[in-house]
Amino acid sequence: MTNRLRDLTKREEERFVREHPRSAELYERAKVSLLGGVPMNWMKKWAGAFPVFVKRAKGAHFTDVDGREYVDLCLGDTGAMTGHSPEVVAEAVAQRVREGITLMLPTEDALWVGEELKRRFGLAYWQFVLTATDANRFAIRIAREITQRTKILVYHYCYHGTVDETFVSLKDGAAGPRRGNIGPPVNPAETTRVVEFNDLNALEDALKQHDVAVLLAEPAMTNAGIILPENGYWKAARELTRRYGTLLVADETHTICAGPGGCTREWKLEPDFVVFGKAIGSGIPGAAYGCTEEVAQRISARIQLEDCDVGGIGGTLAGNALSMAAMRATLEHVLTEAAYEKMMPLAVRFGDGVAGEIKKRGLPWNVQRLGCRAEYTFCEKPPRNGGESAAAADFELERFLHLYTLNRGVLLTPFHNMALMCPATTEADIDLHTKIFAEALDELAGRNANPKGAHSAL
Ligand SMILES: Cc1ncc(COP(=O)(O)O)c(C=O)c1O
């Protein structure tokens, strides 16, 4: 860390504490009843001495308990990509809450949602759970069952929720537990192979022992910056998975930013499963996984009625009436084609604004975009894979930029430099971020330094 970055970070940290007295108070109180003072451990990772406690959120904005207002470009890390509490979803949910929340019986909304997902993604049959993690877990179980293979395959630096098998990474070409992996049930090298994205040779090597049940993949990686597939990658990768009898899960939980049918529809992918969580119910817990006709037939043939409740796929609240009502209202009225037409240009505006400021200062950084999501990384060329992206990461710099924008009323995702658009985001919201980002770069470079000086200061 340079001295300038250290000094600026200290100044911003002090400002944050000074300007958030009520959040500070709540955090102190939380420390004696919540482990680590937060409802979930990753909330500690926000830049600043404690997380901002939220009072209310609507559309693209929220207000904290100190009465400060923010533009929300994090949007619950996609959980609120619909904008916070869309009116139409709030109404549908309120009605459903009064008429029965969970019954272990279907409601008609489930059919509507299944039909709509089939129309969007082209996969034949759908199931509902509460989280994208569970959707991935159950798709993996089905894949293992019908292929009678044990291994799964993922990309280096992937994230698919808290699926045990996926907390694996490559070290000197070998798979092992990912850094920070808490109490892994077994060494993930026993369950999982891991390869770099965009490397077809590595993919084929991993598949050719004919023991991989499933490749669990985001069509574009989104959890290590945005990493796009190279031209022809998915066509060739799909051919390889078919050649070696491996099924493909397209985890569209984040890549739903690419369009109403995710990358599956935009890029004409032909996965065996699609997973879609988080935003599907505007943040009301719910997720879905779909499969092809062939997968459906193969798994149906193996499930006995008597055992179907204890087969490792399920959840008491899965497919509950409330989730289904939220999903229906979201898909019917919020995440519509028209909404995407509005959101996409905003992500372009964000990308252009940030890229312009980077260029003006001659910084070796880049900006990538996927649909209504954009992100900058600290390297000259967009990373091709997780390893390249990790090598370009700069934790301190990232935290400084997050805190700097937060102190000036803009929230970015805590885990990388991602900005997501929702239907309620405005051009003014985006321009505010660009302005603050430019100021941060100027400060890092020393206000009066010539623009090239930014290199040395960073
Ligand atoms: C691509 C992807 N899949 C699945 C998940 C898991 O979602 P959840 O935490 O809602 O289970 C995430 C979470 O960030 C994700 O990024």
Side-chain angles (χ1 to χ4, degrees):
M1 206 199 287
T2 64
N3 287 341
R4 192 194 306 283
L5 180 56
R6 187 172 304 115
D7 293 348
L8 288 171
T9 299
K10 188 162 175 289
R11 187 195 73 192
E12 292 300 315
E13 281 169 348
E14 286 166 3
R15 172 172 172 174
F16 177 81
V17 171
R18 216 173 36 247
E19 292 181 347
H20 297 85
R22 181 74 185 126
S23 277
E25 218 174 275
L26 291 179
Y27 183 59
E28 282 310 306
R29 194 176 124 204
K31 279 185 190 165
V32 295
S33 63
L34 304 180
L35 186 62
V38 285
M40 179 40 66
N41 74 82
W42 45 256
M43 290 189 191
K44 284 184 88 74
K45 207 173 170 186
W46 288 102
F50 44 81
V52 160
F53 282 68
V54 176
K55 182 93 176 164
R56 75 180 76 82
K58 191 73 184 168
H61 298 143
F62 73 95
T63 309
D64 72 13
V65 288
D66 286 291
R68 304 182 75 82
E69 293 189 5
Y70 302 84
V71 171
D72 190 355
L73 295 176
C74 165
L75 293 170
D77 194 25
T78 303
M81 183 181 145
T82 50
H84 295 288
S85 299
E87 241 359 88
V88 66
V89 178
E91 287 300 323
V93 164
Q95 187 180 338
R96 190 68 250 177
V97 165
R98 286 189 211 99
E99 293 177 352
I101 296 166
T102 188
L103 301 102
M104 286 193 97
L105 288 169
T107 53
E108 195 174 337
D109 286 338
L111 278 70
W112 190 96
V113 176
E115 286 157 6
E116 174 64 10
L117 293 173
K118 186 169 179 169
R119 186 187 71 77
R120 289 188 184 212
F121 293 96
L123 276 83
Y125 294 102
W126 291 83
Q127 291 279 276
F128 300 103
V129 286
L130 290 184
T131 65
T133 298
D134 271 354
N136 282 325
R137 289 177 50 230
F138 299 156
I140 291 171
R141 271 189 174 262
I142 293 173
R144 280 191 171 129
E145 178 67 25
I146 63 182
T147 59
Q148 289 293 294
R149 295 177 177 185
T150 55
K151 293 267 192 227
I152 79 154
L153 176 62
V154 295
Y155 293 116
H156 190 36
Y157 284 106
C158 69
Y159 187 76
H160 296 283
T162 49
V163 178
D164 285 330
E165 291 95 329
T166 60
F167 290 95
V168 64
S169 68
L170 277 176
K171 206 177 216 171
D172 304 324
R178 189 170 173 164
R179 186 178 144 185
N181 192 338
I182 302 166
V186 294
N187 183 337
E190 285 180 32
T191 56
T192 313
R193 296 222 171 91
V194 53
V195 293
E196 287 282 22
F197 192 49
N198 277 323
D199 183 342
L200 288 166
N201 289 332
L203 181 65
E204 180 156 19
D205 281 347
L207 295 175
K208 68 184 176 199
Q209 294 165 51
H210 289 92
D211 59 355
V212 176
V214 66
L215 167 59
L216 172 60
E218 286 191 282
M221 293 184 76
T222 67
N223 283 293
I226 296 173
I227 307 177
L228 299 176
E230 288 172 351
N231 266 345
Y233 178 77
W234 274 119
K235 189 166 184 294
R238 187 71 266 225
E239 273 168 27
L240 287 173
T241 54
R242 288 200 171 114
R243 186 182 312 157
Y244 295 107
T246 296
L247 299 171
L248 174 65
V249 178
D251 180 354
E252 297 270 19
T253 301
H254 280 179
T255 50
I256 194 66
C257 61
C263 294
T264 294
R265 186 159 110 197
E266 292 301 310
W267 300 343
K268 300 187 176 49
L269 305 179
E270 292 176 0
D272 300 291
F273 299 87
V274 161
V275 163
F276 177 11
K278 296 199 185 190
I280 193 171
S282 299
I284 294 286
Y289 60 99
C291 67
T292 60
E293 180 73 49
E294 191 199 329
V295 168
Q297 281 182 19
R298 287 170 72 189
I299 191 61
S300 300
R302 299 182 72 90
I303 298 181
Q304 307 296 326
L305 184 62
E306 198 177 339
D307 305 323
C308 70
D309 55 338
V310 287
I313 291 181
T316 311
L317 301 179
N320 71 74
L322 183 65
S323 298
M324 301 316 309
M327 288 187 209
R328 178 175 180 164
T330 301
L331 296 175
E332 194 170 1
H333 302 294
V334 186
L335 289 183
T336 58
E337 309 268 346
Y340 278 88
E341 275 163 33
K342 183 165 178 285
M343 295 188 288
M344 305 276 192
L346 290 168
V348 173
R349 191 178 183 95
F350 177 95
D352 288 351
V354 168
E357 300 303 331
I358 290 172
K359 194 162 171 219
K360 263 189 232 168
R361 292 161 182 82
L363 287 170
W365 300 357
N366 78 88
V367 189
Q368 279 286 51
R369 184 179 71 87
L370 180 67
C372 58
R373 176 186 187 102
E375 173 146 7
Y376 58 90
T377 37
F378 307 125
C379 52
E380 195 143 22
K381 288 204 187 118
R384 288 181 59 244
N385 57 44
E388 284 183 18
S389 178
D394 186 331
F395 187 63
E396 273 94 20
L397 180 58
E398 183 178 297
R399 275 179 92 72
F400 166 74
L401 288 163
H402 286 218
L403 191 57
Y404 194 94
T405 55
L406 185 69
N407 279 342
R408 288 155 186 79
V410 176
L411 186 81
L412 291 164
T413 28
F415 314 134
H416 32 114
N417 305 313
M418 190 275 282
L420 185 66
M421 312 300 135
C422 73
T425 308
T426 63
E427 292 186 350
D429 294 336
I430 300 309
D431 296 347
L432 175 64
H433 171 269
T434 308
K435 180 174 158 284
I436 297 168
F437 178 73
E439 286 166 11
L441 296 189
D442 282 344
E443 289 221 53
L444 282 166
R447 267 197 196 283
N448 299 319
N450 84 51
K452 294 280 177 196
H455 274 296
S456 53
L458 292 166

